[in-house]
Amino acid sequence: MRFTPLLLLAFVPALAADDDEETFAIPPRTVTLEMPNSTLGKVAPAVGRAGFPFTIPTEAAGQTCDGLFNAKPFWFALEMIASQTGQRITLGDGGRKIALEPRGKAYEVSSVHGAFRVVARQVVGRFQLDAGAATHDVTLDVHWEPRFPVFRLDSSPKIAKATDDRGVALLPGSAGSRSQPTGYLHSSTVRLGGITRESKKIARLEGQFTVTASATMLAFEFDDLTQGKTALPVPAKSKVEATLKSVEKDEQTWEFRIELNYPPNLPKFESFESWTHENKLRLVGPNKASFTPDDSEGLTQDSRVVAVYRFKEDAKRGLVNPAAKGWKLTYEAPSPPLEFAVPFELRDLPLP
């Protein structure tokens, strides 16, 4: 038996039949569009405005494309126009940049669930001599809309059902631990046993990732730093309270201590897991010059976060006495974290 890697890259988009009615933990951006008998060059910008900007090949702009969507998730709409025009979806910069590129011989199997998309990237077969058995590894990419942070997700998804083209059940490996992704893209591997010479393809691979994420990043603004303590009202409906607890100077270093209080009963995090690494503080001067901290540290205890940010005074840059009138702080912090399942169903994956 010979095993060789096989890239899976031509379009087989999938969307669960009840996705239109489902209530998502983090609702996706949706596309509503009525542009029949149009072109990719006209439909793509409209879809990008409704969801997220993406690039297309210049030579493909004139290709015929129907932009007909009734509140469909952005990823689903993007798959549809890619399928119509012989393109495929590619991601760059950790999922921050989205593009359509010519499909060529590529074959892609994917599944869209709200703001998330799962794509099969390759199947690699191995024969383990010591065990006398063959296994196959399926590489999956799970990515999400580049607008909200995902703090952790399963290193390998939990598989509910896997069968070959004869209906024979395949044997998935254990789900394993959880990972903390960077950016908006995570690669995962599913190991399957039970595939034989008679198996021509993986007919069905169904499972789910457990995800911990926040729906959005909240924006706070401390516009008066002349007081030792400044409490701000929370953004509307956020249920998060941000307080500037103190402003202190130690020699040439200014220190700002901020406390965040979240609602109780948040998902439990291990001591080595962080859900505040996306927090961002900016110090803005009267002349609108913006400064980032020289260093910071933080402590998270259940639903309370205490963070300290330090700035070195620098007259050449204009950073002098930020406690004076006219200075302000802008702060971004995640909305209350949520834990939920992202299901997927992939069909007809070719085997090497």
Side-chain angles (χ1 to χ4, degrees), residues 35-45 56 60-67 85:
M35 296 179 67
N37 301 317
S38 189
T39 63
L40 179 60
K42 294 179 180 179
V43 171
I56 64 171
Q63 292 187 3
T64 301
C65 182
D66 284 324
T85 58

Side-chain angles (χ1 to χ4, degrees), residues 127-134:
F127 192 88
Q128 298 172 302
L129 297 178
D130 56 348

Side-chain angles (χ1 to χ4, degrees), residues 83-104:
S83 181
Q84 292 182 62
T85 58
Q87 310 296 312
R88 66 185 181 98
I89 300 171
T90 64
L91 301 174
D93 191 19
R96 296 173 180 85
K97 296 180 180 179
I98 307 169
L100 295 186
E101 294 182 357
R103 185 186 310 163

Side-chain angles (χ1 to χ4, degrees), residues 95-294:
R96 296 173 180 85
K97 296 180 180 179
I98 307 169
L100 295 186
E101 294 182 357
R103 185 186 310 163
K105 296 181 179 180
Y107 187 87
E108 191 164 76
V109 181
S110 64
S111 175
V112 172
H113 181 79
F116 291 79
R117 181 171 175 262
V118 178
V119 189
R121 288 302 181 199
Q122 67 175 5
V123 177
V124 177
R126 295 184 177 88
F127 192 88
Q128 298 172 302
L129 297 178
D130 56 348
T135 61
H136 286 71
D137 289 344
V138 182
T139 301
L140 305 178
D141 282 353
V142 54
H143 62 91
W144 48 96
E145 295 178 0
R147 62 179 172 89
F148 59 85
V150 168
F151 307 118
R152 66 185 178 191
L153 74 168
D154 294 329
S155 298
S156 295
K158 299 177 181 67
I159 300 301
K161 188 171 185 178
T163 60
D164 69 5
D165 52 303
R166 300 168 299 148
V168 175
L170 305 179
L171 307 174
S174 58
S177 60
R178 292 186 288 188
S179 298
Q180 290 196 274
T182 58
Y184 304 91
L185 171 66
H186 172 72
S187 291
S188 175
T189 300
V190 176
R191 177 156 293 181
L192 296 174
I195 295 175
T196 67
R197 296 174 185 266
E198 289 71 33
S199 305
K200 302 303 180 185
K201 58 186 176 181
I202 301 171
R204 185 175 182 181
L205 183 61
E206 182 180 346
Q208 68 176 39
F209 286 90
T210 299
V211 174
T212 309
S214 287
T216 188
M217 294 295 288
L218 304 172
F220 298 90
E221 185 171 295
F222 300 87
D223 57 5
D224 184 1
L225 309 183
T226 61
Q227 302 297 319
K229 295 182 179 180
T230 304
L232 278 187
V234 297
K237 300 181 181 180
S238 73
K239 299 181 181 179
V240 179
E241 181 181 82
T243 304
L244 179 61
K245 300 296 289 186
S246 64
V247 179
E248 298 177 353
K249 183 182 180 182
D250 182 10
E251 296 183 348
Q252 299 302 307
T253 299
W254 287 88
E255 183 178 278
F256 297 85
R257 184 179 298 269
I258 292 178
E259 181 176 306
L260 296 167
N261 285 287
Y262 283 79
N265 303 318
L266 298 180
K268 298 298 182 182
F269 288 84
E270 301 293 339
S271 58
F272 60 87
E273 295 177 331
S274 172
W275 55 277
T276 60
H277 57 273
E278 294 288 339
N279 293 24
K280 294 179 182 178
L281 184 77
R282 295 286 188 277
L283 181 61
V284 183
N287 60 355
K288 307 303 180 184
S290 179
F291 304 91
T292 57
D294 292 290

